[in-house]
Amino acid sequence: MNNTDPLEKYIAIQKPNILAKNVFLELCRNPSALPSLLLVVGPSGSGKSTLVNAARNSLEKSKAGKIVFFQAEDFANKYVSLFQSGTHTDIVRFKKSIRNDTTFFFLDGIDFFYNKNALMAEVIKTTDFLCMNNAKVILTSNVDPKSISSLHPRYVSRLCGGLLLNLHSADLMERRLIFRKYCEERGVLMAEEIENYVAEQILSVRSIQGAANRLIALCDSNTTLSISECSILIRDLIVQHNTELNIQKIIDTVSDFYDVSTTALIGKSRDPDFVHARQIAQYLSYKLLNSSVTEIAKAFQRDHSTIMYSIHKVEKEILSNAPLYDRIDQLSRILLSDT
């Protein structure tokens, strides 16, 4: 998506992402039907900023009211600079510019404030004021506030007191479609092998858009783009864990996380704890790697249908089981940060 694209162009395939898109469509059509506060949580690169920017674009197009939009770091820099060198009048004016007559307030990346108590307090005061005055407050965060032990419980209850929307990282199909649509909208039809290569090598939605821009620029002068040319152009965007992370590392990490042995995890035991950990490891192997189901089945000494059952079971459970979603998100971050 472009920064000016409306919400309708936001691509969502997985159920949690479709739900988030539908909520924002409702925000644009009938904001009074929704709670005052919306919190969008998802790992970096899952499309949070793209989603809220698209919602802002649609709201601006419909002239729905006064919209205030801040990146968290910009908000912090403005606030700190006023306190350091501005007058009391300057600070009051800044607060009024945010609070007075505002219909929609967007703050993208509030996890930036989680270890900054003074700024977090100001964010809470601002959101409380706006919610009490019938404005809609839309926040995004890389992590669920409930998982931050150092965050004051009062702040956690405020942030989670509205509607919490969990975005999932784009899966392979979603990444491929995002890349294809982005290119098509710019009049470029990429070969299927290029689409597959980009989707397999790049996990972040933001980086996929960056890769598309580079490849489109080359296609303007050279319509026959090879995989080798593509790999050179986007090599700095390719996340190294795509090659370093493997099924065995996932098995080891999940075993440590659930305190079960790797032998038990890949063994035949039907103990519920072992089965649960085994299914999580199989699901993560499918989601985080480019491994085929056949490769995962071989690593876990199972047949193809058993692996597919585990993947679908976990996918279904995380839609209604918030603690499970949080554990999988935590495991994903551990695996991706360690590689």
Side-chain angles (χ1 to χ4, degrees), residues 166-227:
N166 281 304
L167 282 191
H168 287 197
S169 296
D171 61 15
L172 184 62
M173 183 188 303
E174 213 160 12
R175 297 195 299 272
R176 187 186 298 122
L177 183 57
I178 288 168
F179 178 77
R180 180 186 303 160
K181 291 289 185 183
Y182 195 85
C183 293
E184 286 177 350
E185 288 173 1
R186 284 145 192 82
V188 175
L189 184 63
M190 291 288 179
E192 185 176 345
E193 63 177 4
I194 298 296
E195 289 181 359
N196 291 337
Y197 180 78
V198 171
E200 288 168 357
Q201 298 299 321
I202 301 178
L203 303 183
S204 164
V205 172
R206 193 177 300 110
S207 296
I208 286 173
Q209 294 170 352
N213 286 330
R214 296 183 192 183
L215 299 178
I216 289 168
L218 183 63
C219 284
D220 288 342
S221 57
N222 178 9
T223 55
T224 56
L225 186 64
S226 69
I227 291 291

Side-chain angles (χ1 to χ4, degrees), residues 115-133:
N115 62 346
K116 301 172 176 66
N117 287 332
L119 285 168
M120 190 74 247
E122 184 57 35
V123 169
I124 294 299
K125 289 177 186 176
T126 299
T127 58
D128 281 353
F129 178 91
L130 290 167
C131 289
M132 286 189 295
N133 286 274

Side-chain angles (χ1 to χ4, degrees), residues 320-338:
S320 57
N321 187 336
L324 176 61
Y325 175 87
D326 291 341
R327 286 194 294 273
I328 290 176
D329 185 52
Q330 184 180 354
L331 273 165
S332 298
R333 282 186 272 118
I334 291 169
L335 288 161
L336 299 180
S337 64
D338 282 350

